[in-house]
Amino acid sequence: MKELLNKKEIERIISRIAHEIIEKNRGTGNLCLIGIQRGGVHLAKRLFTRIKIVENADVPVGSLDITLYRDDVGIRKEQLIVRKTDVPCDITDKNIILVDDVLFTGRSIRAAMDALMDLGRPAQIQLTVLIDREHRELPIMADYIGKNIPTSRSEDIEVQLEEEGFEDKVLLIAKQ
Amino acid sequence: MRKDLVGIKDLSRKEIELILGTSSSFKDVLKRDIKKVPALRGKTAVNLFFEPSTRTRASFELAEKRLSTDVLNLSMPTSSVVKGEVLLDTAKTIDSYGIDFVVIRHSSSGAPHFIARNVSASVINAGDGINEHPTQALLDAFSIVERKGRLDGLKIAIVGDILHSRVAKSNIYLLSKFDVAIRLIGPPTMIADMADYNVDLFYDMDRGLEDVDIVMMLRIQIERQGKGIFPSIQEYAKKWGLNMQRLGLAKRDAIVMHPGPMNRGVEISSDVVDSGQSIIFDQVTNGLAVRMTVMYLLGGSQK
């Protein structure tokens, strides 16, 4: 087990990405932050807070559950919990900042895009991830990346956040 | 999750809580502009109805369609049964089609259990004889939790023909797994002997309704009139029909439920149906969400 990011580093990353989002979108006017359940939801809220400090603007922030859009129905081993989708605004014509904790195969992001399209027709979807661990199985890339970490498939990335009762950190764990 | 949902009796409290919790996410889906999710895309469901049904069949069909399942409706009284096919062959035929879900209603208690043992598809009981109607009990429980926030600690009265009602049976099995005070109200000819369950029996409706949180009405089968079970519709309505005055005996914030179809003016008066205390039409919406949940949970992961 190896610590990849600590509390302070995560805080800096959130701050940097908040600035990048504001810069790339020339402000916050048409933005909507949407976190993928569960880790992404907490990170989206942190970005909201950071953007508010920098720009003094309230960007709408919501959560997206992608369970019903996954492509492994009938073949996955565990029973998945269907969590809440709570998007506070009409996403049509908005610039959506989709937030997830770890970008891996890209399949969750494909599911998330399908889920979003059922809620409306965004002008644009941009992707933010805390960790990009490579091994993509679909042609998907992130617009804002906290940290690139080349991993092997026999390793796991664990993002532990205060909102879930942990101390903020990101761990690299060897699978049994 | 298990392969089939044939009854409430053998479900654990934990499984019931998972179904109720997941149902609220599915209810959110039903509020969207696009009410369809790809959760069970490529799967096929057969609705196998050996007994006429409009509402339950419609509810299952809509639930299946909103999960992107392909649907085949078979009304059996008009097809193979007439030709003398035995239930086992019907089951085997369905299995040969490579079906993923069988939703079955049958007038014989235990028919879904028999089918479940003989097909590889997930079997969902949509009502069997006088035995069980599990999805109705689950949607009733979900509707109660939606209004009251919980099941534990509630006083619930079930009124009507308990003996012949699979809805009542499934509800009693479900509520018994929680800390609920269950009261059964009806004429002595209609009260089932639920000796294994902790229920209180009332032949006097006014006494039975005192201080309850929930009044669950059952449909009276008018065709049973004159068969020695109850004397006349008028007398039944007078003694065991729910009207506003009687509802006043229950708690002030009591809610009224009915599985439908209702006989307005018999077991329930029109003003009760249309009152603010009635959640009868919410039950219909919730039925969709709960049936989507059950199919999703049975079919979503490896068996």
Side-chain angles (χ1 to χ4, degrees):
Chain A
M1 191 164 73
K2 189 180 148 201
E3 187 174 287
L4 301 173
L5 293 175
N6 61 29
K7 183 174 158 65
K8 194 71 208 165
E9 287 164 326
I10 293 173
E11 206 178 297
R12 286 191 193 115
I13 285 171
I14 296 289
S15 174
R16 188 195 84 225
I17 292 178
H19 282 95
E20 284 177 6
I21 290 172
I22 298 163
E23 187 190 0
K24 181 166 173 181
N25 293 281
R26 299 198 179 97
T28 59
N30 202 32
L31 293 183
C32 177
L33 289 160
I34 295 180
I36 299 177
Q37 290 278 14
R38 294 180 80 175
V41 176
H42 306 312
L43 296 170
K45 286 183 182 150
R46 291 187 190 191
L47 284 168
F48 164 86
T49 310
R50 203 64 224 171
I51 290 172
K52 191 172 164 74
I53 293 169
V54 179
E55 286 285 290
N56 196 26
D58 283 313
V59 176
V61 55
S63 60
L64 188 70
D65 183 89
I66 59 163
T67 317
L68 302 176
Y69 292 84
R70 287 171 56 130
D71 58 6
D72 56 354
V73 62
I75 54 173
R76 61 180 167 254
K77 293 197 176 62
E78 78 282 28
Q79 183 74 60
L80 296 170
I81 295 170
V82 184
R83 299 181 193 282
K84 289 277 167 186
T85 288
D86 179 18
V87 175
C89 58
D90 181 4
I91 66 166
T92 298
D93 295 333
K94 281 268 184 340
N95 290 350
I96 303 296
I97 310 291
L98 189 61
V99 186
D100 204 359
D101 45 10
V102 180
L103 179 57
F104 184 24
T105 61
R107 287 178 192 268
S108 304
I109 305 304
R110 196 282 309 161
M113 289 193 288
D114 279 355
L116 278 176
M117 296 302 179
D118 274 1
L119 299 176
R121 187 179 186 278
Q124 211 182 71
I125 300 175
Q126 300 168 17
L127 177 62
T128 303
V129 296
L130 183 62
I131 303 288
D132 181 350
R133 61 168 292 191
E134 304 183 350
H135 301 288
R136 217 75 76 237
E137 291 169 4
L138 297 172
I140 281 170
M141 58 182 276
D143 299 273
Y144 314 96
I145 298 167
K147 190 168 179 160
N148 270 301
I149 296 167
T151 56
S152 102
R153 280 177 180 275
S154 64
E155 292 167 321
D156 256 338
I157 297 274
E158 204 174 297
V159 177
Q160 301 191 338
L161 297 174
E162 269 170 13
E163 292 87 337
E164 298 280 331
F166 300 100
E167 192 181 323
D168 275 359
K169 60 168 127 28
V170 177
L171 299 172
L172 181 71
I173 298 167
K175 266 189 212 165
Q176 303 307 321
Chain B
M1 195 75 184
R2 52 186 69 225
K3 169 169 125 19
D4 312 296
L5 176 68
V6 290
I8 296 291
K9 216 176 197 170
D10 51 350
L11 285 187
S12 68
R13 177 174 167 140
K14 226 179 133 198
E15 284 172 295
I16 292 168
E17 284 171 339
L18 173 68
I19 293 168
L20 301 184
T22 308
S23 295
S24 84
S25 298
F26 277 100
K27 188 157 183 190
D28 289 346
V29 171
L30 297 175
K31 292 179 192 152
R32 297 182 194 161
D33 286 344
I34 296 177
K35 296 176 178 63
K36 188 171 174 140
V37 288
L40 293 179
R41 201 178 43 157
K43 304 266 175 186
T44 310
V46 171
N47 298 325
L48 193 60
F49 280 69
F50 291 89
E51 242 185 29
S53 158
T54 308
R55 297 154 163 269
T56 305
R57 203 193 59 90
S59 181
F60 269 107
E61 184 173 347
L62 210 45
E64 289 152 1
K65 287 182 169 165
R66 291 192 167 161
L67 289 166
S68 307
T69 315
D70 294 317
V71 183
L72 184 62
N73 285 309
L74 297 176
S75 292
M76 297 307 282
T78 54
S79 61
S80 303
V81 181
V82 182
K83 297 174 190 157
E85 188 176 71
V86 297
L87 196 54
L88 180 61
D89 288 335
T90 308
K92 296 211 152 172
T93 305
I94 286 166
D95 229 14
S96 310
Y97 288 138
I99 298 294
D100 302 288
F101 295 97
V102 178
V103 175
I104 176 177
R105 168 168 289 189
H106 202 286
S107 55
S108 298
S109 301
H113 309 64
F114 176 78
I115 296 263
R117 284 194 298 273
N118 286 287
V119 299
S120 54
S122 284
V123 174
I124 299 169
N125 181 359
D128 64 323
I130 57 165
N131 181 41
E132 282 225 48
H133 191 351
T135 56
Q136 179 71 43
L138 288 164
L139 79 89
D140 287 344
F142 177 75
S143 305
I144 294 170
V145 174
E146 193 175 53
R147 285 302 176 106
K148 298 288 180 190
R150 70 206 148 90
L151 288 169
D152 290 318
L154 295 179
K155 268 196 198 101
I156 300 181
I158 305 177
V159 187
D161 191 355
I162 317 280
L163 186 61
H164 301 96
S165 170
R166 52 196 175 207
V167 173
K169 307 283 171 40
S170 284
N171 267 306
I172 293 166
Y173 299 147
L174 191 153
L175 298 172
S176 299
K177 295 175 199 286
F178 292 81
D179 178 24
V180 171
I182 305 170
R183 298 180 180 184
L184 306 181
I185 305 173
T189 48
M190 291 182 172
I191 292 287
D193 177 22
M194 304 293 291
D196 294 343
Y197 294 85
N198 189 14
V199 295
D200 294 317
L201 307 183
F202 290 87
Y203 304 128
D204 177 351
M205 188 169 182
D206 290 355
R207 278 193 50 221
L209 287 182
E210 267 172 35
D211 211 31
V212 299
D213 298 281
I214 314 283
V215 187
M216 277 188 182
M217 300 305 298
L218 299 172
R219 190 174 81 89
I220 281 304
Q221 287 178 289
I222 291 178
E223 57 277 16
R224 291 195 202 279
Q225 184 187 208
K227 293 193 176 157
I229 295 173
F230 62 100
S232 74
I233 293 170
Q234 290 76 12
E235 188 177 338
Y236 185 87
K238 209 171 147 204
K239 295 191 82 167
W240 292 285
L242 184 66
N243 52 39
M244 286 311 283
Q245 194 192 342
R246 282 212 166 110
L247 183 55
L249 298 167
K251 283 204 181 125
R252 280 187 59 178
D253 61 349
I255 54 176
V256 178
M257 305 171 70
H258 193 298
M262 295 174 278
N263 301 299
R264 282 183 187 241
V266 183
E267 72 265 11
I268 189 164
S269 72
S270 265
D271 48 357
V272 171
V273 174
D274 302 322
S275 78
Q277 283 172 272
S278 151
I279 60 160
I280 294 168
F281 297 104
D282 295 337
Q283 286 175 268
V284 179
T285 313
N286 292 342
L288 264 179
V290 167
R291 291 182 175 115
M292 285 173 82
T293 301
V294 166
M295 299 195 71
Y296 170 75
L297 290 176
L298 293 179
S301 57
Q302 272 183 7
K303 303 218 166 79

